Amino acid sequence: MAEAPARVPGVEGRAGKFPGPSLIPALNAIQEREGWLPREELIQLSRDVRRPLYEIEGLVSFYPHFRTEAPQATEILACHDLSCWLRGSDEHIARLREEHGDAVIERSCLGRCDSAPVALAEHDLPERADMTRWPNDPYDTSGERYAVVRDVLAGRVDTAAIIASLKDAGLRGMGGAGFPTGRKWGLVADTPGETKYVICNADESEPGTFKDREILATQPHLVLEGMLLGMLAVGAEEGWVFIRHEYGPEERVIRREIDNLRDLGLIGPGRTIEVFTSPGGYILGEESALIECMEGHRGEPRNKPPFPGTYGLYGKPTLMNSVETFAHVPVIASKGASWWQAQGKGEHGGLKFFAVSGHVERPGVYCVPTGTTARELLDLAGGVSGGRNVGAIQPGGASSNFLGPGTLDVELDFGTLQAAGSMLGSGALVVIAEGTDLLAAATNVLRFFRDESCGKCVPCRVGSTKAHALLANGASADDVAELANVMRRTSICGLGQVALGPVMSVRDLSNGTHG
């Protein structure tokens, strides 16, 4: 990776940070070898790379994946977040503690919400045996794959035409923010610079969100082809898949497909794609925090502007999209914007992956036409478990507001969900059965955000802790309304801005709004 350029206005706060290269891969390697990070290993690393020990310790103390004590012979990681909580994780964890004692460690979402309540004895899970073909895959056989990239390299297709197709298709970022994909690609392509990067954000870590895990397992060729097309379109020679460390099986799938790309001659000298394994933390899903991590710093969000498209990884123009966004690019590039638009329902265009969990009969990942209603998606998942009625839904993951049963016919898309009082977010429909304590559910979500706050800004760090303490001790949503307003207005990034949104939406539901 290249060194950072001269400072530009807006990044003065980065003065004094070590320029790299990142020591996180070295720390990951030590922990994989030893099972933890012995102090003598950290001292030796400091000597080998001629970097101060306090810098290394600062990294180790920030990222939850790193261990400073030897692990027990047996450890069971148990999730306690919303999808698991709805399916009895409290009781599940209590039973595990009776059997295994201190070997049971409670953790934030492990990305396996379709198997809730989740407890893992180790992260080295088996890979999926099947290769599901989803409707966004334009290739009938494996031999046809990467046809669009081959056409671009052969000069038969112009990357400007691909960017135009993405704009015409109306494809938006599927990681949560929903920024127009074609516009983002065009901005990075038009930004001057000899060195540019492309990053696939595969760090989905929000409770209820696991669709990207499924796409990585079943469509690694589409994710990587989308990345390659992005690299060719913006003029980048280096691409990175930034993947959460809990996704070990999916990481192995991606690495094998990268090896396949080398064998096919589609990457190599002058055009590379590598994997960067996350050292943990939900905050790394925020693009600038992810970049800070890759540069070897604590994963704290940057103030914006500048944005990554102009000043990203090592200060270079950087194109970053989510797994699902990249996976949709090849079919749009090959079949055209009109085909993509026709896949939606009514006024909505395209296809959308949803992770469905909570009180449903068949939790899992579903690929449906954009504009499918929440009721239709719930029916695909077998309805509410036990034949119960719907009490509420979260249509866009943990950061989205709760909606009541009166909104089940809302069409699932960015604008329609915003008008209904929530958001499409990460594409995670969490279903909550009637009779569930919604304030307790929202407080569970707030605990996640409190635990995952990076601590950089006071409103998020202090506000989430204080609000959770109040709610856990019997306070109402009204009691934290002013605190929610302050956090929303003054937090640096989206984590603090939305942390109390679900709690306030419970108040709105009790007042008769939000369905």
Side-chain angles (χ1 to χ4, degrees):
M1 292 185 185
E3 297 290 332
R7 304 298 179 192
V8 299
V11 297
E12 293 85 355
R14 296 180 48 70
K17 290 194 174 182
F18 296 95
S22 174
L23 298 181
I24 289 173
L27 292 170
N28 279 334
I30 293 171
Q31 182 153 299
E32 184 175 355
R33 183 180 72 245
E34 302 290 337
W36 62 299
L37 297 175
R39 184 168 176 79
E40 57 270 21
E41 291 280 352
L42 300 183
I43 293 173
Q44 187 60 49
L45 177 63
S46 173
R47 291 171 176 167
D48 290 344
V49 298
R50 298 182 180 274
R51 305 267 282 276
L53 184 60
Y54 71 80
E55 178 199 355
I56 297 173
E57 291 178 335
L59 293 176
V60 171
S61 65
F62 182 86
Y63 293 108
H65 179 51
F66 292 140
R67 301 169 177 269
T68 55
E69 296 181 356
Q72 303 178 61
T74 300
E75 287 188 343
I76 300 173
L77 306 183
C79 176
H80 59 204
D81 287 326
L82 184 60
S83 295
C84 288
W85 180 81
L86 291 171
R87 286 182 166 261
S89 63
D90 289 351
E91 296 80 6
H92 185 226
I93 291 171
R95 289 194 299 270
L96 288 173
R97 289 198 190 283
E98 289 179 0
E99 298 176 12
H100 304 283
D102 292 340
V104 179
I105 302 171
E106 292 189 45
R107 286 286 172 86
S108 288
C109 184
L110 298 171
R112 309 281 165 181
C113 315
D114 48 340
S115 302
V118 178
L120 301 178
E122 57 183 48
H123 285 320
D124 192 19
L125 298 169
E127 294 177 21
R128 288 269 304 276
D130 65 305
M131 284 292 283
T132 304
R133 186 181 177 203
W134 298 96
N136 68 321
D137 192 339
Y139 302 120
D140 293 327
T141 66
S142 59
E144 299 174 2
R145 293 172 180 173
Y146 301 107
V148 184
V149 165
R150 296 179 196 275
D151 285 343
V152 171
L153 292 174
R156 293 186 292 268
V157 173
D158 182 57
T159 56
I162 293 177
I163 293 176
S165 292
L166 295 178
K167 291 179 179 178
D168 293 342
L171 181 65
R172 296 173 65 174
M174 299 297 183
F179 191 85
T181 303
R183 183 181 170 197
K184 178 184 282 189
W185 285 36
L187 288 171
V188 180
D190 292 340
T191 300
E194 294 183 2
T195 301
K196 297 181 182 180
Y197 299 104
V198 170
I199 299 174
C200 176
N201 185 344
D203 194 57
E204 63 173 359
S205 303
E206 187 166 290
T209 308
F210 51 94
K211 64 178 176 62
D212 285 354
R213 187 200 80 209
E214 181 76 8
I215 295 170
L216 289 167
T218 60
Q219 297 188 328
H221 58 290
L222 296 185
V223 177
L224 294 178
E225 183 170 23
M227 288 185 66
L228 280 169
L229 291 172
M231 292 168 66
L232 293 168
V234 304
E237 296 183 349
E238 194 171 301
W240 291 88
V241 179
F242 186 99
I243 190 168
R244 64 181 299 190
H245 65 86
E246 292 94 344
Y247 282 4
E250 294 74 27
E251 180 177 335
R252 293 194 293 273
V253 170
I254 281 289
R255 287 185 181 276
R256 277 204 305 273
E257 190 63 22
I258 290 174
D259 290 339
N260 180 46
L261 284 177
R262 293 193 186 99
D263 293 340
L264 293 172
L266 296 177
I267 60 174
R271 186 168 56 248
T272 65
I273 295 179
E274 303 291 345
V275 174
F276 191 106
T277 306
S278 167
Y282 167 72
I283 192 61
L284 300 186
E286 198 280 333
E287 58 183 4
S288 65
L290 184 156
I291 289 172
E292 286 288 301
C293 175
M294 288 189 66
E295 290 185 1
H297 309 304
R298 293 162 69 92
E300 298 173 345
R302 299 175 178 177
N303 292 322
K304 300 174 184 177
F307 295 92
T310 56
Y311 190 95
L313 184 63
Y314 288 97
K316 304 297 185 180
T318 301
L319 173 66
M320 188 184 304
N321 283 130
S322 71
V323 168
E324 183 182 354
T325 307
F326 277 126
H328 287 323
V329 169
V331 73
I332 295 173
S334 61
K335 295 191 175 184
S338 296
W339 180 90
W340 177 257
Q341 281 289 324
Q343 304 312 301
K345 297 186 65 174
E347 298 179 355
H348 309 275
L351 298 165
K352 181 74 186 79
F353 282 86
F354 283 92
V356 184
S357 64
H359 291 144
V360 293
E361 288 289 346
R362 294 192 294 272
V365 174
Y366 298 85
C367 184
V368 298
T370 303
T372 296
T373 67
R375 188 186 305 277
E376 291 169 332
L377 185 55
L378 176 57
D379 288 343
L380 286 175
V384 184
S385 56
R388 293 171 287 180
N389 295 321
V390 174
I393 61 171
Q394 266 191 312
S399 55
S400 62
N401 291 340
F402 289 100
L403 298 176
T407 62
L408 287 180
D409 292 315
V410 66
E411 297 165 344
L412 298 175
D413 202 351
F414 292 97
T416 46
L417 281 170
Q418 184 178 10
S422 191
M423 62 180 177
L424 186 63
S426 58
L429 180 72
V430 181
V431 178
I432 304 174
E434 188 177 53
T436 305
D437 186 336
L438 291 183
L439 184 58
T443 303
N444 177 281
V445 172
L446 177 59
R447 177 180 65 180
F448 169 81
F449 288 124
R450 178 203 66 183
D451 292 347
E452 295 295 328
S453 172
C454 75
K456 179 177 181 178
C457 68
V458 172
C460 179
R461 182 181 71 244
V462 176
S464 60
T465 299
K466 184 174 181 62
H468 185 269
L470 289 169
L471 292 167
N473 285 284
S476 69
D478 285 329
D479 295 327
V480 296
E482 185 174 355
L483 191 54
N485 186 47
V486 171
M487 290 177 63
R488 179 175 58 83
R489 290 175 176 270
T490 60
S491 294
I492 290 175
C493 81
L495 190 156
Q497 293 163 11
V498 304
L500 274 168
V503 172
M504 303 318 298
S505 68
V506 170
R507 181 191 65 172
D508 294 338
L509 284 173
S510 66
N511 293 336
T513 56
H514 288 186

